């Protein structure tokens, strides 16, 4: 296919696609930057029917591309590229900011959940320890009341002492859990409770031995000592409650 120019002997087809040009009887006008005319020189004998017939040669009738026009078009393209790049960078920064906020919020929520989990475990440990102390102290009071009698019932004292020893072991187990859960400041208070309990147990054991031997020489003195140690034990347990409440309210 080659471009063909209109000559005197050429009959041009009428223009029927534009209402404003229906009365134009001459050759079709040449429109810049458009195809002037296509002529098919050869029709191929083979090939799928959907292919175009022949090879087409397009005739460029537009103006020449000057350096100034090329620079102007290039600047337009670069400006459009800069705008697209700025929009892309803005979207990337926005996505990074959103991702960073999500990471920060996720970490804050994780810390909050861990703090809640830690408080719950500590609360259970402290409550178990106080419950074990309560049961043991009731058993200890029962032994001391039996020893204060003018005529102690030794078999009854032995039975109550056995129950006290069993509950004292439960307190020891609960103490280990409290020390494990922490904090260290509360472990110090549990040591004070253990020392106060040991002092009272020592007096109770001495009173039991004197009761078995029938010796009442130091009975009044030991009874007073036992009352004083009970008061000290009660105060240390109270200190533990206050320390436990403070530890549960905090996060360390």
């Amino acid at each position: 296919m080659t471009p063909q120019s209109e000559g005197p002997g050429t009959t041009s087809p009428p223009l029927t696609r534009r209402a404003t040009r229906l009365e134009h009887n001459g050759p079709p006008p040449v429109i810049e930057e458009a195809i002037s005319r296509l002529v098919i020189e050869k029709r191929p004998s083979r090939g799928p029917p959907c292919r175009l017939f022949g090879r087409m040669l397009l005739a460029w009738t537009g103006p020449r591309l000057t350096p100034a026009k090329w620079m102007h078009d290039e600047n337009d393209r670069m400006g459009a590229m800069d705008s697209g790049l700025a929009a892309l960078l803005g979207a990337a920064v926005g996505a990074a900011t959103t991702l960073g906020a999500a990471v920060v919020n996720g970490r804050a929520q994780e810390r909050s959940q861990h703090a809640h989990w830690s408080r719950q475990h500590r609360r259970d440990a402290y409550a178990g320890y106080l419950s074990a102390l309560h049961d043991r102290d009731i058993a200890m009071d029962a032994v001391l009341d039996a020893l204060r009698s003018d005529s102690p019932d030794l078999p009854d004292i032995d039975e109550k002492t056995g129950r006290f020893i069993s509950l004292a072991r439960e307190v020891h187990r609960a103490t280990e859990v409290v020390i494990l859960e922490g904090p260290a400041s509360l472990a110090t208070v549990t040591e004070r409770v253990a020392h106060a309990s040991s002092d009272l147990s020592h007096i109770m054991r001495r009173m039991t031995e004197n009761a078995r031997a029938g010796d009442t020489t130091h009975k009044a003195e030991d009874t007073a000592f036992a009352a004083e140690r009970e008061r000290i034990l009660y105060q240390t347990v109270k200190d533990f409650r206050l320390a436990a409440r403070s530890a549960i309210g905090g996060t360390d």
Side-chain angles (χ1 to χ4, degrees), residues 97-152:
T97 303
T98 302
L99 179 60
V103 171
V104 171
N105 293 335
R107 291 179 177 176
Q109 184 178 5
E110 182 180 357
R111 287 193 297 268
S112 177
Q113 292 177 351
H114 181 269
H116 177 74
W117 175 85
S118 179
R119 284 194 298 269
Q120 184 62 42
H121 277 258
R122 286 180 174 181
R123 183 183 294 109
D124 294 341
Y126 304 159
Y129 176 72
L130 289 172
S131 178
L133 282 176
H134 176 74
D135 294 340
R136 186 208 62 182
D137 290 347
I138 290 178
M140 182 183 293
D141 291 340
V143 175
L144 291 173
D145 290 341
L147 290 172
R148 293 188 184 102
S149 176
D150 294 336
S151 56

Side-chain angles (χ1 to χ4, degrees), residues 3 7 39 45 61 67 78 87 112 130 156 179 193-194 209 218 239 242 251:
V39 177
S45 59
T61 60
M78 292 299 296
S112 177
L130 289 172
D156 181 59
I179 295 175
V193 174
E209 292 174 354
H218 303 286
D239 293 342
L242 295 175
T251 56

Side-chain angles (χ1 to χ4, degrees), residues 180-248:
L180 180 64
E181 290 293 336
S185 58
L186 202 61
T188 302
V189 182
T190 59
E191 290 180 0
R192 291 171 49 198
V193 174
H195 286 309
S197 300
S198 177
D199 291 343
L200 183 56
S201 298
H202 177 73
I203 296 175
M204 186 180 67
R205 185 166 54 250
R206 186 173 63 194
M207 292 176 66
T208 302
E209 292 174 354
N210 291 336
R212 292 181 184 279
D215 185 3
T216 60
T217 305
H218 303 286
K219 184 173 184 178
E221 181 181 358
D222 289 341
T223 301
F225 281 158
E228 178 64 19
R229 295 298 184 271
E230 283 182 314
R231 186 190 64 80
I232 295 175
L233 177 59
Y234 172 80
Q235 183 61 44
T236 55
V237 173
K238 183 178 179 180
D239 293 342
F240 175 84
R241 290 194 188 97
L242 295 175
R245 186 180 297 112
S246 177
I248 292 174

